[in-house]
Amino acid sequence: MHTLWKGSISFGLVNVPVKMHAATDSRDFQFNYLHKECKHRIRSVKKCPTCDIELGMDDLVKGYEYEKDRYVVLSDEDIASLEQPMSRSIDILDFINLSEIDPIYYQKSYYLSPEETALKAYRLLTQSMEESGKVALARVTMRSKQHLACLRVFDKCLVMETMYYPKEIRHMDVAWDRVDPTEVELTMARQLIDNLARPFEPEKYHDELYEQTTRLIESKIAGETYTAEAPVKGGKVVDLMEALRASIALTENEKDSMSSGQTQVLEAGSGGNPTDKPKSTLTPRKRAPRRAKEA
């Protein structure tokens, strides 16, 4: 697995050297712009609208717009001077309960694996965190930005979730909080939620748009036509109580169908479903990973 960053986890006087790896992978298709006539890929050109000349990377500087069309220029040296002295350290600040962190704070997930010299210390940290039921709130600097982060155990590995700071979270005016549903409406809504409640099985969820895009591209490559399935449109909600009753009736029927379906599967054994569609072998091209900077 490609290493994005090298550093160490520090808490108290304990220091655990680790490597960072991407924990997720974008499944988006990357499309290129082509010339309509010859089908060759066009290139992006950086051009100054004032000087009317094409520019290279050496001609560019970083600027911050502090007023409309007014910029202050920051050099690489200016930015480097702000680099934190502990930029290669993931500093644990506190151990807290995972349930206390709302998912809105999470940005991106990274795996942390131990260096060869830190296997025991890494195992000690993961096992003690797992047994305590706690996660670690930490601070780390990456790419000249200081992040708040959450360290937790997943599949025997440490996962680091970079987080937004509280000031980066927007808050809405919840005008609907002043509307009070009736007790009957609340009872029916709770029943509908109970009917739809399931254990979390991540494998059963899939990206339908990604799958349809895959089939579209494969059809184009093969010179065939492909018609996407039309999405099912929901009915117009005229009366809230009527919509709740209809939804509860529908989910009750689905629960009965699921129960009978599970019984049939158990009776039929573990045979495959003959109507299952074959899985596509088409995968989006991955972007070339950035090389890890030297510590």
Side-chain angles (χ1 to χ4, degrees):
M1 194 177 287
H2 180 73
T3 300
L4 300 173
W5 182 92
K6 288 184 178 182
S8 62
I9 302 170
S10 63
F11 62 107
L13 298 177
V14 179
N15 188 275
V16 187
V18 293
K19 297 175 286 187
M20 183 184 294
H21 319 273
T24 57
D25 189 18
S26 173
R27 301 265 294 176
D28 293 340
F29 286 97
Q30 302 295 325
F31 295 104
N32 298 306
Y33 283 106
L34 312 177
H35 183 197
K36 185 177 179 180
E37 299 299 326
C38 66
K39 303 297 186 293
H40 279 83
R41 182 177 174 178
I42 65 169
R43 64 187 182 93
S44 298
V45 177
K46 292 181 176 65
K47 189 175 182 180
C48 176
T50 303
C51 302
D52 195 28
I53 57 173
E54 186 176 334
L55 304 176
M57 289 303 298
D58 293 339
D59 301 313
L60 305 180
V61 293
K62 293 179 181 177
Y64 175 76
E65 187 177 22
Y66 62 94
E67 290 179 7
K68 178 65 176 175
D69 294 328
R70 298 194 67 184
Y71 298 86
V72 59
V73 174
L74 299 176
S75 67
D76 291 340
E77 290 74 18
D78 291 330
I79 296 173
S81 69
L82 303 177
E83 186 78 11
Q84 299 294 311
M86 297 294 288
S87 61
R88 290 294 170 184
S89 176
I90 301 170
D91 299 317
I92 292 178
L93 308 174
D94 300 294
F95 287 96
I96 61 176
N97 295 319
L98 181 62
S99 59
E100 295 177 27
I101 306 174
D102 191 276
I104 197 171
Y105 286 95
Y106 295 134
Q107 288 180 318
K108 188 172 175 60
S109 302
Y110 298 92
Y111 283 124
L112 300 177
S113 67
E115 296 282 8
E116 288 297 322
T117 57
L119 297 179
K120 187 172 184 179
Y122 183 92
R123 176 61 176 154
L124 176 67
L125 178 58
T126 55
Q127 187 171 337
S128 57
M129 284 178 63
E130 205 164 20
E131 290 176 358
S132 70
K134 301 290 186 182
V135 298
L137 207 62
R139 183 166 47 228
V140 60
T141 301
M142 296 189 302
R143 296 170 188 160
S144 301
K145 180 172 171 32
Q146 190 179 81
H147 296 269
L148 192 64
C150 170
L151 270 63
R152 59 187 181 85
V153 181
F154 174 75
D155 275 354
K156 305 295 183 183
C157 294
L158 276 179
V159 173
M160 185 182 79
E161 316 270 358
T162 52
M163 300 170 63
Y164 292 105
Y165 284 100
K167 287 186 177 180
E168 296 176 291
I169 304 296
R170 294 179 176 178
H171 296 276
M172 298 182 66
D173 178 20
V174 287
W176 49 89
D177 196 41
R178 297 186 285 273
V179 179
D180 294 319
T182 66
E183 190 58 40
V184 175
E185 290 169 336
L186 284 170
T187 300
M188 296 185 72
R190 293 187 194 108
Q191 184 181 348
L192 179 57
I193 290 172
D194 288 341
N195 287 352
L196 292 171
R198 306 280 187 275
F200 178 50
E201 300 172 1
E203 295 78 13
K204 84 174 192 178
Y205 304 102
H206 51 96
D207 187 341
E208 295 178 358
L209 178 58
Y210 171 85
E211 293 175 353
Q212 289 201 16
T213 305
T214 300
R215 291 195 286 272
L216 173 62
I217 292 174
E218 289 175 333
S219 300
K220 289 276 188 181
I221 293 172
E224 302 169 353
T225 57
Y226 172 73
T227 304
E229 299 172 7
V232 179
K233 293 184 179 179
K236 231 179 181 179
V237 177
V238 179
D239 179 76
L240 180 59
M241 287 294 291
E242 188 57 40
L244 284 169
R245 289 192 188 97
S247 299
I248 290 171
L250 180 63
T251 53
E252 290 286 357
N253 292 335
E254 287 178 352
K255 282 175 69 176
D256 293 340
S257 299
M258 285 178 63
S259 298
S260 61
Q262 287 174 351
T263 304
Q264 289 174 3
V265 169
L266 290 172
E267 291 173 351
S270 57
N273 187 348
T275 61
D276 285 348
K277 295 179 182 178
K279 290 187 177 180
S280 170
T281 57
L282 181 65
T283 55
R285 292 181 61 187
K286 296 181 181 178
R287 293 180 178 177
R290 296 183 179 179
R291 294 183 179 274
K293 293 181 181 179
E294 294 297 327

